[in-house]
Amino acid sequence: MSSKNIVLGICGGIAVYKALDIVSRLKKKDINVNVIMTKSATEFVTPLSFQSLSQNMVISDMFEEPRAWEIQHISLAKKADLMLIVPATANIIGKVANGIADDMLSTTIMATTAPVVFAPAMNTNMYRNPIVQDNIQKLQRFGYKFILPSSGRLACGDVGEGKLPDTEYISNVALSMLYDKKDLIGKKVLVTAGPTVSYIDPVRYITNKSSGKMGYAIAEEARDRGAEVTLISGPSSLEKPYGVKIIDVDTNEDMYNKVLEYYNDSDIVIKSAAVADYKVKNYSEKKIKKADGDLNITFTRDNDILKVLGDKKKNQILIGFAAESNDLIENAKSKIYKKNLNYIIANDITLKDTGFSSDDNLVTIISNTGEVYNLDKMSKRNIARKMFDLLEEKR
Ligand code: CTP
């Protein structure tokens, strides 16, 4: 599935530099970003900065090369799943509110049928000016959306309304608006992610290479489709997704207890965590001192959390993962039956550039009725999307 497209309109204001962070945040979420800058925006930050971050050519003046601007403003307008204008100046708001289309950005806004979101940022008095307020209300009546500015100390030294809200907040609003699919409204989705750890002594532990990326992507996809999401996460350096209930755990036992606490109340449970099957048998309360000769550590079996969930399953849709280095489909299929799953997502861990820690993965989804879906190599977020699309199709 191709990723979603956001056309980001950049106007001339001191907050332009903050829009760079928005591009970077959207790109990290696998969104294709096309940037249009007004001429005055380019006085603040060069198009090259936006071009480097978006990895797309920036359109900054419709009369410059390439001269295909007549086509471009239409093609970008058509391509957009969402237009986001940051910072939206009094000028662009005034132009659109009055039907003026005299540059690449205003013509694209006029030509698009995608939702348009303005994030205004300007001097307080300018923002409060009744003409600006009237234009905003007029645009809102026509269905244009606004992320209203916050209050604070402005670049000009004044204190008051007119400050661009956090870039994280703006990006999140844009991301959730991209989701027309709300098939999980009213559903409770439980996701586990990341590794578990087993302690050897107060300062040492063993763990595995799981980054948590797959589980976090699943949690975000479920959230954007309207689900109430609980994410039980082993140690991970990933940014915590907004709008998701996060429960941090570290050992197999912690994860086991938390998962069981939420299990009965969940509709869909996805166990993407790389749970350790063994734990250290004799935890040393004191730090182990070095001594001559070898050090032997004995491991003992720990909970197979997914197996317990399979045994206790009522109406939940239960999805597991299978990381295999050989006989992928066969091994994955046997896990479906052993653990009483509805689906398993299998991947070959011997492949380069996929799997652990990477942004992409190459997986096969197998159902308990024997259907096998081989997905192309794609981002973990797109795998999550495909997986929920499949659940929706089968419901
Ligand atoms: N799993 C679990 N508890 C464990 C081990 C695995 O809940 N102790 C879950 C994982 O979250 C995953 C699925 O079981 O969804 C399969 O994990 P995997 O490590 O591939 O399989 P194992 O059952 O551990 O089998 P093996 O190590 O023999 O391949």
Side-chain angles (χ1 to χ4, degrees):
M1 178 189 288
S2 59
S3 57
K4 299 266 184 180
N5 299 300
I6 291 187
V7 174
L8 192 60
I10 313 289
C11 305
I14 190 67
V16 170
Y17 73 96
K18 294 186 181 172
L20 289 169
D21 187 49
I22 294 177
V23 179
S24 152
R25 286 175 181 278
L26 296 175
K27 288 295 289 179
K28 278 189 197 144
K29 301 292 178 189
D30 199 32
I31 303 296
N32 181 50
V33 182
N34 285 94
V35 174
I36 302 174
M37 299 179 78
T38 63
K39 217 166 176 19
S40 49
T42 63
E43 305 285 336
F44 290 89
V45 173
T46 65
L48 184 62
S49 309
F50 282 100
Q51 190 165 311
S52 313
L53 285 172
S54 68
Q55 290 156 18
N56 276 321
M57 208 183 78
V58 170
I59 298 158
S60 54
D61 183 331
M62 65 184 192
F63 296 109
E64 270 172 9
E65 294 292 348
R67 288 193 186 280
W69 66 270
E70 298 93 336
I71 318 282
Q72 273 194 20
H73 79 265
I74 298 298
S75 67
L76 276 186
K78 275 193 183 147
K79 187 177 171 188
D81 294 302
L82 180 80
M83 277 195 77
L84 177 62
I85 319 301
V86 185
T89 52
N91 191 44
I92 192 76
I93 293 168
K95 273 198 213 175
V96 181
N98 291 286
I100 298 167
D102 65 348
D103 63 6
M104 184 68 188
L105 182 58
S106 49
T107 48
T108 310
I109 296 173
M110 290 296 178
T112 194
T113 53
V116 179
V117 184
F118 290 92
M122 63 193 82
N123 165 275
T124 303
N125 294 336
M126 212 166 163
Y127 179 66
R128 292 219 183 114
N129 185 307
I131 300 173
V132 173
Q133 287 301 317
D134 202 42
N135 286 336
I136 291 177
Q137 281 159 23
K138 182 172 174 187
L139 287 174
Q140 283 173 325
R141 281 200 304 278
F142 280 111
Y144 291 91
K145 300 272 181 276
F146 280 79
I147 298 174
L148 294 177
S150 51
S151 292
R153 192 178 182 284
L154 305 174
C156 55
D158 286 358
V159 176
E161 260 178 317
K163 206 172 147 60
L164 196 72
D166 278 356
T167 52
E168 186 184 357
Y169 176 73
I170 296 174
S171 317
N172 287 338
V173 170
L175 286 168
S176 52
M177 281 191 68
L178 280 179
Y179 275 76
D180 34 5
K181 249 195 186 152
K182 294 289 178 195
D183 57 311
L184 295 179
I185 286 177
K187 298 280 178 208
K188 289 187 178 162
V189 174
L190 178 63
V191 184
T192 69
T196 60
V197 304
S198 173
Y199 290 96
I200 299 168
D201 70 13
V203 290
R204 300 178 180 105
Y205 59 84
I206 64 157
T207 185
N208 61 61
K209 279 169 51 178
S210 171
S211 63
K213 282 182 181 169
M214 189 66 243
Y216 278 53
I218 292 170
E220 289 175 353
E221 177 69 20
R223 170 202 65 202
D224 289 340
R225 295 169 89 118
E228 187 183 324
V229 183
T230 304
L231 173 62
I232 299 180
S233 173
S236 167
S237 56
L238 297 177
E239 197 176 299
K240 304 287 180 213
Y242 79 97
V244 164
K245 180 169 186 182
I246 315 254
I247 298 172
D248 290 312
V249 294
D250 57 2
T251 62
N252 173 315
E253 194 181 346
D254 277 354
M255 186 173 278
Y256 178 80
N257 290 332
K258 284 296 172 192
V259 167
L260 284 185
E261 190 181 320
Y262 284 86
Y263 188 49
N264 282 340
D265 203 25
S266 302
D267 300 297
I268 303 173
V269 180
I270 303 147
K271 280 231 70 224
S272 68
V275 184
D277 289 312
Y278 293 90
K279 65 179 171 192
V280 173
K281 191 166 186 183
N282 297 306
Y283 171 77
S284 169
E285 297 285 349
K286 291 199 175 119
K287 186 182 164 203
I288 300 172
K289 289 286 188 193
K290 67 173 166 295
D292 292 339
D294 296 338
L295 170 69
N296 293 308
I297 297 174
T298 306
F299 291 93
T300 182
R301 280 293 303 273
D302 213 340
N303 308 300
D304 186 334
I305 306 176
L306 192 53
K307 169 91 175 63
V308 175
L309 299 185
D311 293 343
K312 290 181 184 290
K313 190 164 86 171
K314 290 189 185 114
N315 297 316
Q316 297 91 338
I317 294 176
L318 190 55
I319 302 173
F321 276 74
E324 305 293 343
S325 48
N326 56 286
D327 304 317
L328 182 76
I329 304 292
E330 245 169 76
N331 283 335
K333 275 187 174 167
S334 80
K335 282 177 193 171
I336 292 192
Y337 303 117
K338 240 191 263 168
K339 303 194 185 193
N340 190 22
L341 308 179
N342 298 74
Y343 294 91
I344 197 151
I345 301 177
N347 72 302
D348 179 346
I349 52 168
T350 63
L351 296 177
K352 285 212 172 92
D353 303 329
T354 59
F356 281 127
S357 302
S358 94
D359 291 328
D360 294 331
N361 209 351
L362 179 64
V363 304
T364 301
I365 305 181
I366 307 168
S367 75
N368 57 358
T369 46
E371 289 138 313
V372 176
Y373 307 88
N374 289 308
L375 305 192
D376 295 333
K377 181 180 165 187
M378 59 179 77
S379 70
K380 289 180 174 172
R381 180 62 190 250
N382 278 341
I383 291 173
R385 203 168 290 159
K386 284 276 184 195
M387 185 195 76
F388 283 115
D389 285 348
L390 184 67
L391 295 189
E392 188 192 14
E393 211 177 280
K394 297 285 171 192
R395 223 176 300 154

